[in-house]
Amino acid sequence: MLKSLSERVMAASLRLARVEMLVCHALIVGFAGLLLVNVLMRYLLNAPIYYADELAIYTLIWMAFLAISVTISRADMIALTFLSDLAPRSVRFALQLAVDSLVLTMCIVMAWVSWRWLNSSAVAYEQALTLGMAKRPFYAIVPIFFSLATLHMFANLLYRLSRG
């Protein structure tokens, strides 16, 4: 039962991570294209795109959050394991479960808090100055990231428990 659930959740997590990586690829192409067009406009036509820098920053932020989410889905995070590597296998397993559970709990709490923050009046009135629009779509990556990270960590924890 646990193994079957683990396999389904892990498959969903990996499919979602592929979509996230495709979005990262699109964002990097868009980022490079935006900067290239801005350089050409600035130096060839003396008419730079005034919002290019701000949009490039938001693009990089979205890309970084999505790439971190993919890293979590693959369980490729950096870890300091020099002490746990010295422990017996059962202790190592318990430590890994504890760390995964702690990170999952943190992601759940941060997802909940960040969705509340995104829908608060504090965010509602913030404007991206050069883009002339609300910042809410750009800020949305924070709760999206924590929601994705929650799913990926849950999949990783189930996988670890089923293989335990």
Side-chain angles (χ1 to χ4, degrees), residues 68-106:
I68 293 166
S69 180
V70 171
T71 302
I72 291 170
S73 77
R74 296 176 180 173
D76 282 341
M77 295 88 57
I78 294 173
L80 298 175
T81 61
F82 57 91
L83 289 178
S84 64
D85 288 345
L86 300 173
R89 186 175 173 354
S90 61
V91 173
R92 224 177 15 246
F93 180 73
L95 285 172
Q96 290 169 336
L97 283 180
V99 168
D100 285 352
S101 298
L102 184 64
V103 173
L104 175 61
T105 302
M106 182 196 74

Side-chain angles (χ1 to χ4, degrees), residues 2-53:
L2 183 62
K3 187 173 182 178
S4 172
L5 176 64
S6 168
E7 288 171 355
R8 286 187 306 222
V9 173
M10 184 58 81
S13 173
L14 292 174
R15 279 193 304 274
L16 189 56
R18 275 190 234 112
V19 172
E20 293 170 63
M21 191 52 94
L22 287 173
V23 172
C24 280
H25 289 144
L27 288 171
I28 195 68
V29 168
F31 172 79
L34 175 66
L35 293 184
L36 178 65
V37 168
N38 191 37
V39 166
L40 294 174
M41 294 289 292
R42 174 174 286 141
Y43 294 109
L44 293 179
L45 302 175
N46 201 25
I49 304 170
Y50 64 93
Y51 59 83
D53 292 339

Side-chain angles (χ1 to χ4, degrees), residues 7 19 38 51 58 64 66 86 100 119 125 130 140 147 155 157-158:
E7 288 171 355
V19 172
N38 191 37
Y51 59 83
Y58 291 132
L66 289 174
L86 300 173
D100 285 352
N119 292 315
Y125 300 107
T130 61
S147 299
L157 183 61
L158 277 180

